[in-house]
Amino acid sequence: MSDRFPPGFLWGAATSAYQIEGAAAQDGRTPSIWDTFSHTPGRTADGDTGDVAVDHYHRMRDDVALMAELGLTSYRFSVSWSRVQPTGRGPAVQRGLDFYRRLVDELLGHGIAPALTLYHWDLPQELEDAGGWPARETAYRFAEYAALVGTALGDRVERWVTLNEPWCSAFLGYASGVHAPGRTDPAASLRAAHHLNLAHGEAASALRAAMPARNQIAVSLNSAVVRPRSQDTPDVEAARRIDDLANGIFHGPMLHGSYPDRLFADTASVTDWSFVHDGDLRAIHQPLDALGLNYYTTSLVSAADPAGAGARADGHGASPHSPWPGAGAVAFHQPPGERTAMGWTIDPSGLYDLLLRYAKEAPGLPLLVTENGAACDDVPGPDGAVHDPDRIRYLHGHLASVRRAMEAGADVRGYYLWSLMDNFEWSYGYGKRFGAVYVDYGTLARTPKSSARWYAELARTGELPRVPGA
């Protein structure tokens, strides 16, 4: 197998607005659900919030210069909905849009292709107060917001992502409650999933009406690689059930215009799905120009022991409430192997399997790895340098899997490292570091780690560098 990637392959890094921007109450921005959630005692580690985050709002030009220094050819960022449209309704706030105009111009000036994500979990609080994603109206508000951003930036941004990881928005936000808005209502989580699907479809249509035809529209799914603990029929059935809840519930309508055959029966004890209206599936099933896939680890499941409650070693945070509605008969197990600082098993073969699956699931649709990376316990040395050999090994293994998948027929066009720099890691606060660039949270100084330099060499040559010490 060749370690060389083709010319034109996108070498990117990704971030999200609430995790890096700060300036939470500046230039007209109003609270999102993550502002409210993080300011609620007990919701985040150490009570951490994104009020300042890593202050990207004020340090944007320096951050883009750092991206250029690292040789990135693309940068995936998200727009803060409540910075652009504070109530989730009405006209855009130009001061909010101006920040993203400046960011895009700065990127283009450094030869870095912007990839804009419209939604990375930060719903305006006013829309949550009106019902949030379980309310159908939110999907239509999202389409209006998409049109505002598409009209403002569509002349300069060619790569667009509607939603990032709608599974997390629906099930961690409304079922287990470990993410904002922190609700624990299984029926509401399934309504949220459907309305996120509808929001994607309506936004894709709105973007196409507002932007030049050359622009590319995608969605980023955190599709799970679900493996049964054994090939016994109950375990295989458990894996099928979770696969439908993790994957088919989104890619079914988006890619094929239908929900998985058995999903409604599996969740009949939770909801009757009457919120699916005539015409919804047609609205959701919009043509895509690329499919984004986010991958970190695999899932290992079995049928639960009838004598006891099913284990939930699913890696999605501690909560007495499950993010898997209708799946109480399924147990999750920690896959064997080395783990990251998040406790997630390191398994590059899962990324290979995922890419090959979607090469078959959506033949002819280009794929992007829109997130992949590892949290490590990074500490500066006496000289101030930050060496992270574990992250380099993680990246090398996963990028080798990407290259192997390409040789097996997967049409992968780019890779976005998560994340450009250390940041606010949601309910974990500032305790988990995913960045290729180290951030001193006291001074907010940025220091590229060894992995950033390794990745820069890859971006420059297109060939996987060796792992130091290997």
Side-chain angles (χ1 to χ4, degrees):
M1 184 192 84
S2 170
D3 284 340
R4 182 171 292 279
F5 287 78
F9 191 86
L10 292 173
W11 295 110
T15 64
S16 84
Y18 189 73
Q19 292 179 276
I20 68 166
E21 283 182 3
Q26 191 170 332
D27 291 339
R29 185 186 180 278
T30 57
S32 73
I33 55 175
W34 268 99
D35 293 277
T36 302
F37 186 84
S38 65
H39 279 270
T40 303
R43 291 297 202 179
T44 64
D46 299 322
D48 289 341
T49 76
D51 289 359
V52 175
V54 296
D55 198 32
H56 173 71
Y57 193 79
H58 298 109
R59 299 165 184 256
M60 176 269 290
R61 286 189 170 86
D62 289 342
D63 287 341
V64 174
L66 182 55
M67 296 177 211
E69 179 187 331
L70 297 178
L72 299 187
T73 58
S74 187
Y75 171 56
R76 178 175 171 243
F77 63 94
S78 79
V79 171
S80 165
W81 188 346
S82 60
R83 193 180 295 286
V84 166
Q85 195 188 33
T87 65
R89 297 179 176 83
V93 172
Q94 292 305 313
R95 288 173 298 173
L97 279 175
D98 283 346
F99 169 72
Y100 298 106
R101 290 186 177 107
R102 293 193 300 271
L103 169 59
V104 167
D105 288 347
E106 199 72 17
L107 290 167
L108 293 174
H110 283 84
I112 300 170
L116 187 155
T117 300
L118 284 167
Y119 188 74
H120 198 129
W121 308 352
D122 47 357
L123 185 72
Q125 184 60 44
E126 287 200 26
L127 290 184
E128 174 59 25
D129 294 342
W133 285 113
R136 185 179 184 85
E137 188 67 16
T138 305
Y140 300 121
R141 299 286 74 75
F142 181 69
E144 292 177 3
Y145 155 68
L148 291 174
V149 182
T151 299
L153 297 174
D155 61 331
R156 282 161 291 170
V157 178
E158 295 187 7
R159 293 175 176 84
W160 293 72
V161 174
T162 53
L163 305 173
N164 181 76
E165 300 186 349
W167 185 90
C168 295
S169 297
F171 297 113
L172 300 184
Y174 293 94
S176 70
V178 299
H179 278 192
R183 289 162 62 178
T184 53
D185 181 345
S189 73
L190 290 167
R191 291 198 306 274
H194 178 67
H195 295 143
L196 283 155
N197 282 331
L198 185 61
H200 158 76
E202 295 289 348
S205 296
L207 288 173
R208 287 210 161 84
M211 301 193 309
R214 69 174 183 273
N215 290 0
Q216 301 172 16
I217 297 173
V219 65
S220 288
L221 303 178
N222 58 318
S223 295
V225 177
V226 186
R227 294 171 173 164
R229 189 170 60 168
S230 78
Q231 290 304 307
D232 294 345
T233 298
D235 289 356
V236 171
E237 171 60 16
R240 193 277 312 161
R241 183 183 288 256
I242 295 303
D243 188 80
D244 283 351
L245 276 172
N247 303 327
I249 194 171
F250 296 107
H251 78 227
M254 290 180 183
L255 300 181
H256 308 304
S258 62
Y259 280 104
D261 292 342
R262 296 168 65 180
L263 177 65
F264 291 179
D266 288 344
T267 56
S269 63
V270 180
T271 182
D272 62 5
W273 290 82
S274 58
F275 46 81
V276 179
H277 294 186
D278 289 345
D280 282 3
L281 292 169
R282 185 168 59 254
I284 295 166
H285 185 211
Q286 296 299 313
L288 290 174
D289 301 296
L291 176 64
L293 296 170
N294 297 355
Y295 174 81
Y296 293 93
T297 190
T298 57
S299 297
L300 183 66
V301 303
S302 70
D305 182 350
R312 270 242 328 282
D314 62 359
H316 292 298
S319 170
H321 305 276
S322 173
W324 304 101
V330 177
F332 287 80
H333 308 274
Q334 175 73 48
E338 185 183 358
R339 305 181 194 180
T340 69
M342 292 291 288
W344 298 342
T345 298
I346 299 171
D347 187 350
S349 72
L351 181 53
Y352 173 86
D353 291 348
L354 187 68
L355 292 169
L356 266 292
R357 174 187 182 162
Y358 280 97
K360 296 175 182 176
E361 191 82 42
L365 184 63
L367 304 175
L368 295 164
V369 178
T370 39
E371 286 184 27
N372 177 239
C376 300
D377 295 322
D378 303 314
V379 179
D383 59 354
V386 183
H387 297 293
D388 54 345
D390 290 347
R391 181 174 289 106
I392 293 174
R393 283 193 295 272
Y394 180 100
L395 295 176
H396 187 281
H398 286 78
L399 282 159
S401 281
V402 172
R403 190 70 194 92
R404 191 161 62 93
M406 294 170 70
E407 293 204 340
D411 183 12
V412 187
R413 303 288 181 89
Y415 176 94
Y416 292 84
L417 168 68
W418 185 270
S419 175
L420 173 66
M421 54 189 159
D422 297 334
N423 53 49
F424 175 79
E425 185 49 41
W426 307 113
S427 57
Y428 294 94
Y430 295 97
K432 304 296 182 185
R433 294 180 177 270
F434 276 88
V437 174
Y438 183 88
V439 178
D440 180 322
Y441 293 127
T443 65
L444 297 180
R446 277 80 155 137
T447 302
K449 304 173 188 177
S450 297
S451 61
R453 302 302 182 193
W454 182 90
Y455 193 63
E457 183 181 350
L458 172 58
R460 180 178 61 81
T461 66
E463 186 168 3
L464 273 177
R466 68 177 183 85
V467 176

